[in-house]
Amino acid sequence: MMKKLLRAFSITPSQWIDLVRATVYLAIARVNSTKTAPAKLLSRGIKRSESAESLPKSAKTKNMVERVTWAVLVASKHVPWRSDCIIQAIAAQHWLSRKNIRTELIIGARNDLETPFEAHAWLLHDGKAVTGGDFSRYTPFVMPKS
């Protein structure tokens, strides 16, 4: 308990704002996921954030992506609802698209035939993980281009 309290006091005011923002985006993603049929949610999710014109690669963009990565991960561990990989990826994608940062949400299945079926979602920006952690054990589903 004391460790958590000390950690909470070490968070800067801007990090607190990011945590609140992440919590809001996680809530929106969670509520929308309960209203939408899973197939429709997934087909909407497996896409690039096309509406966003990617900003030039800059320190500002990199910093924003790092802030979103941190805030979504931390907030997802403390919200009172389930915020698994797909919810985190959708929340981060929504937040970053509002900052005109292009991302790609990927959904895949475990590529180990020895284990039961297991799906995972992750969000990429410039080929690097924003959410989803280590996804090397997963093979992306391929969606036909529409």
Side-chain angles (χ1 to χ4, degrees), residues 22-31 33 71-91 120-121 131-132:
T23 301
V24 169
Y25 283 117
L26 287 166
I28 291 167
R30 184 66 187 159
V31 167
S33 75
V72 168
L73 179 65
V74 171
S76 69
K77 292 178 182 177
H78 294 76
V79 294
W81 58 85
R82 187 173 156 195
S83 289
D84 49 14
C85 57
I86 187 71
I87 301 301
Q88 291 175 41
I90 291 170
H120 184 54
T131 66

Side-chain angles (χ1 to χ4, degrees), residues 1-135:
M1 177 67 168
M2 190 61 158
K3 256 185 183 178
K4 284 185 180 183
L5 193 56
L6 288 173
R7 224 177 306 145
F9 282 121
S10 70
I11 295 175
T12 67
S14 65
Q15 287 175 316
W16 278 110
I17 292 168
D18 285 347
L19 286 174
V20 169
R21 201 171 273 137
T23 301
V24 169
Y25 283 117
L26 287 166
I28 291 167
R30 184 66 187 159
V31 167
N32 287 341
S33 75
T34 60
K35 290 182 187 176
T36 308
K40 189 174 181 182
L41 174 70
L42 297 181
S43 68
R44 250 193 341 205
I46 302 175
K47 64 180 175 71
R48 293 179 188 270
S49 52
E50 296 294 344
S51 60
E53 291 182 27
S54 192
L55 292 173
K57 293 176 191 168
S58 67
K60 187 177 179 182
T61 300
K62 183 180 179 201
N63 179 263
M64 186 73 232
V65 171
E66 289 172 355
R67 286 174 49 197
V68 169
T69 298
W70 175 82
V72 168
L73 179 65
V74 171
S76 69
K77 292 178 182 177
H78 294 76
V79 294
W81 58 85
R82 187 173 156 195
S83 289
D84 49 14
C85 57
I86 187 71
I87 301 301
Q88 291 175 41
I90 291 170
Q93 185 175 54
H94 188 99
W95 187 355
L96 289 170
S97 72
R98 292 187 56 111
K99 299 292 183 183
N100 293 325
I101 298 173
R102 185 169 293 179
T103 58
E104 187 173 9
L105 196 154
I106 311 287
I107 299 172
R110 185 120 181 204
N111 54 21
D112 177 4
L113 297 176
E114 308 277 318
T115 58
F117 177 80
E118 183 181 314
H120 184 54
W122 59 96
L123 186 68
L124 300 177
H125 169 70
D126 280 345
K128 295 180 183 163
V130 177
T131 66
D134 178 15
F135 51 86

